[in-house]
Coordinates of all heavy atoms in Angstrom, one line a residue:
D1 N 0.8 -1.2 0.0 CA 0.0 0.0 0.0 C 0.9 1.2 0.0 O 0.5 2.3 -0.7 CB -0.9 0.0 1.2 CG -2.1 -1.0 1.1 OD1 -2.3 -1.6 0.0 OD2 -2.7 -1.3 2.1
Q2 N 2.1 1.1 0.7 CA 2.8 2.4 0.7 C 3.4 2.7 -0.6 O 3.6 4.0 -1.0 CB 4.0 2.2 1.8 CG 4.9 3.4 2.0 CD 4.0 4.5 2.6 OE1 3.3 4.3 3.5 NE2 4.2 5.7 2.1
E3 N 3.7 1.7 -1.5 CA 4.1 2.0 -2.8 C 3.2 2.7 -3.6 O 3.4 3.6 -4.3 CB 4.5 0.6 -3.6 CG 5.6 -0.1 -3.0 CD 5.8 -1.4 -3.7 OE1 6.5 -1.4 -4.9 OE2 5.4 -2.4 -3.2
I4 N 1.8 2.4 -3.5 CA 0.7 3.0 -4.1 C 0.6 4.3 -3.7 O 0.5 5.5 -4.6 CB -0.5 2.2 -3.9 CG1 -0.5 0.9 -4.5 CG2 -1.7 3.0 -4.5 CD1 -1.8 0.1 -4.1
T5 N 0.7 4.8 -2.3 CA 0.7 6.1 -1.8 C 1.8 6.9 -2.3 O 1.7 8.1 -2.6 CB 0.6 6.0 -0.3 OG1 -0.5 5.2 0.3 CG2 0.6 7.4 0.3
D6 N 3.0 6.4 -2.3 CA 4.2 7.1 -2.8 C 4.1 7.6 -4.1 O 4.4 8.6 -4.5 CB 5.4 6.3 -2.5 CG 5.8 6.1 -0.9 OD1 5.2 6.8 -0.2 OD2 6.6 5.3 -0.6
F7 N 3.7 6.6 -4.9 CA 3.5 6.8 -6.4 C 2.5 8.0 -6.6 O 2.7 8.9 -7.5 CB 3.0 5.6 -7.1 CG 3.0 5.8 -8.7 CD1 4.1 5.6 -9.4 CD2 1.9 6.2 -9.2 CE1 4.2 5.8 -10.9 CE2 1.9 6.5 -10.7 CZ 3.0 6.3 -11.5
Y8 N 1.3 8.0 -5.9 CA 0.3 9.0 -6.1 C 0.9 10.4 -5.7 O 0.6 11.4 -6.4 CB -0.9 8.6 -5.3 CG -1.9 9.9 -5.3 CD1 -2.8 10.0 -6.3 CD2 -2.0 10.7 -4.2 CE1 -3.8 11.0 -6.4 CE2 -3.0 11.8 -4.4 CZ -3.7 11.9 -5.4 OH -4.7 12.9 -5.3
N9 N 1.5 10.4 -4.5 CA 1.9 11.8 -4.0 C 3.2 12.3 -5.0 O 3.3 13.4 -5.1 CB 2.7 11.5 -2.7 CG 1.6 11.2 -1.6 OD1 0.4 11.7 -1.8 ND2 2.0 10.5 -0.5
G10 N 3.9 11.5 -5.7 CA 4.8 11.9 -6.6 C 4.3 12.1 -8.0 O 5.0 12.7 -8.9
N11 N 3.0 11.8 -8.3 CA 2.5 12.0 -9.7 C 1.0 12.3 -9.8 O 0.2 11.9 -10.5 CB 2.7 10.6 -10.4 CG 4.1 10.0 -10.5 OD1 4.8 10.3 -11.3 ND2 4.5 9.2 -9.5
K12 N 0.7 13.4 -8.8 CA -0.7 13.7 -8.7 C -1.1 14.4 -10.1 O -2.3 14.3 -10.4 CB -0.8 14.8 -7.6 CG -0.6 14.2 -6.2 CD -0.9 15.3 -5.2 CE -0.7 14.7 -3.7 NZ -1.0 15.7 -2.7
E13 N -0.2 14.9 -10.8 CA -0.6 15.6 -12.1 C -1.2 14.6 -13.1 O -1.9 14.9 -14.1 CB 0.5 16.3 -12.7 CG 1.5 15.5 -13.3 CD 2.6 15.0 -12.3 OE1 2.4 15.3 -11.0 OE2 3.5 14.2 -12.6
Q14 N -0.8 13.3 -12.9 CA -1.3 12.3 -13.8 C -2.8 11.9 -13.4 O -3.4 11.2 -14.3 CB -0.4 11.0 -13.7 CG 1.0 11.2 -14.2 CD 1.6 9.8 -14.1 OE1 1.2 8.8 -14.1 NE2 3.1 10.0 -14.0
F15 N -3.4 12.2 -12.3 CA -4.5 11.7 -12.0 C -5.7 12.8 -12.0 O -6.1 13.4 -11.1 CB -4.5 11.1 -10.6 CG -3.6 10.0 -10.4 CD1 -2.3 10.2 -9.9 CD2 -4.0 8.8 -10.7 CE1 -1.4 9.2 -10.0 CE2 -3.1 7.7 -10.8 CZ -1.8 7.9 -10.3
V16 N -6.0 13.0 -13.3 CA -7.1 14.0 -13.8 C -8.0 13.3 -14.7 O -7.4 12.7 -15.8 CB -6.4 15.2 -14.4 CG1 -7.6 16.2 -14.8 CG2 -5.6 15.9 -13.3
N17 N -9.2 13.4 -14.5 CA -10.2 13.0 -15.5 C -10.3 14.1 -16.5 O -11.0 15.1 -16.1 CB -11.6 12.7 -14.9 CG -11.7 11.2 -14.4 OD1 -10.9 10.4 -14.8 ND2 -12.7 11.0 -13.6
A18 N -9.7 13.9 -17.7 CA -9.7 15.0 -18.6 C -11.1 15.1 -19.2 O -11.8 14.3 -19.3 CB -8.7 14.7 -19.6
R19 N -11.2 16.3 -19.9 CA -12.4 16.6 -20.7 C -12.3 15.6 -22.0 O -11.2 15.8 -22.7 CB -12.5 18.1 -21.1 CG -13.6 18.4 -22.2 CD -13.6 19.9 -22.5 NE -14.1 20.1 -23.7 CZ -15.5 20.5 -23.8 NH1 -16.2 20.4 -22.7 NH2 -16.1 20.7 -24.9
G20 N -13.2 14.9 -22.2 CA -13.1 14.0 -23.5 C -14.4 13.0 -23.4 O -15.2 13.1 -22.7
V21 N -14.1 12.1 -24.4 CA -15.3 11.2 -24.8 C -14.8 9.6 -25.0 O -13.7 9.5 -25.3 CB -16.0 11.6 -26.0 CG1 -16.9 12.9 -25.9 CG2 -15.1 11.7 -27.3
Q22 N -15.6 8.9 -24.6 CA -15.3 7.4 -24.8 C -16.1 6.9 -26.0 O -17.4 7.2 -26.0 CB -15.8 6.6 -23.5 CG -15.5 5.1 -23.6 CD -14.1 4.9 -23.0 OE1 -13.5 5.7 -22.4 NE2 -13.5 3.7 -23.3
L23 N -15.5 6.3 -27.0 CA -16.2 6.0 -28.1 C -16.1 4.5 -28.4 O -15.2 3.8 -28.0 CB -15.6 6.7 -29.4 CG -15.6 8.1 -29.3 CD1 -14.8 8.8 -30.5 CD2 -17.0 8.7 -29.4
A24 N -17.0 4.0 -29.1 CA -17.0 2.6 -29.8 C -17.3 2.8 -31.2 O -17.9 3.8 -31.7 CB -18.1 1.7 -29.2
D25 N -16.9 1.8 -32.1 CA -17.1 1.9 -33.6 C -17.5 0.6 -34.2 O -17.2 -0.4 -33.6 CB -15.9 2.6 -34.2 CG -14.7 1.7 -34.3 OD1 -14.7 0.4 -33.8 OD2 -13.6 2.0 -34.7
I26 N -18.0 0.8 -35.4 CA -18.2 -0.4 -36.3 C -17.8 0.1 -37.6 O -18.1 1.1 -38.1 CB -19.8 -0.7 -36.4 CG1 -20.3 -1.2 -35.0 CG2 -19.9 -1.8 -37.4 CD1 -21.8 -1.5 -35.1
V27 N -16.9 -0.8 -38.2 CA -16.1 -0.5 -39.3 C -16.5 -1.4 -40.5 O -16.6 -2.5 -40.4 CB -14.7 -0.4 -39.2 CG1 -13.8 0.0 -40.4 CG2 -14.3 0.5 -38.0
A28 N -16.7 -0.7 -41.8 CA -16.8 -1.5 -43.0 C -15.7 -1.0 -43.9 O -15.6 0.2 -44.2 CB -18.1 -1.3 -43.7
D29 N -14.8 -1.9 -44.3 CA -13.6 -1.4 -44.9 C -13.4 -2.2 -46.4 O -13.5 -3.3 -46.4 CB -12.3 -1.9 -44.1 CG -11.0 -1.2 -44.6 OD1 -11.0 -0.8 -45.8 OD2 -10.0 -1.2 -43.7
A30 N -13.2 -1.4 -47.3 CA -13.2 -2.0 -48.7 C -11.9 -2.9 -48.9 O -11.8 -3.7 -49.8 CB -13.2 -1.0 -49.7
F31 N -10.8 -2.7 -48.1 CA -9.7 -3.4 -48.1 C -10.0 -4.9 -47.8 O -10.6 -5.3 -46.8 CB -8.6 -2.9 -47.2 CG -7.4 -3.8 -47.0 CD1 -6.3 -3.6 -48.1 CD2 -7.1 -4.6 -46.0 CE1 -5.2 -4.3 -48.1 CE2 -5.9 -5.4 -45.9 CZ -5.0 -5.2 -47.0
D32 N -9.6 -5.9 -48.6 CA -9.6 -7.3 -48.5 C -8.8 -7.7 -47.2 O -7.6 -7.8 -47.4 CB -9.3 -8.1 -49.7 CG -9.6 -9.6 -49.6 OD1 -9.9 -10.1 -48.5 OD2 -9.6 -10.2 -50.7
G33 N -9.4 -8.0 -46.2 CA -8.8 -8.6 -45.0 C -8.3 -10.0 -45.1 O -7.9 -10.5 -44.0

């Protein structure tokens, strides 16, 4: 647990929910797969 705490305290800038979107897709591609 201390490793987790130490990592968070040293990297707080990484823990931000950024403005953005989660996407899914369905693709039809003319390239012969």
Side-chain angles (χ1 to χ4, degrees):
D1 288 341
Q2 188 61 45
E3 290 181 80
I4 295 174
T5 300
D6 291 344
F7 186 91
Y8 174 80
N9 288 335
N11 300 275
K12 289 184 179 180
E13 70 283 356
Q14 295 184 20
F15 298 95
V16 178
N17 272 346
R19 171 181 165 87
V21 291
Q22 185 88 15
L23 300 173
D25 68 3
I26 298 175
V27 179
D29 191 345
F31 176 77
D32 187 351

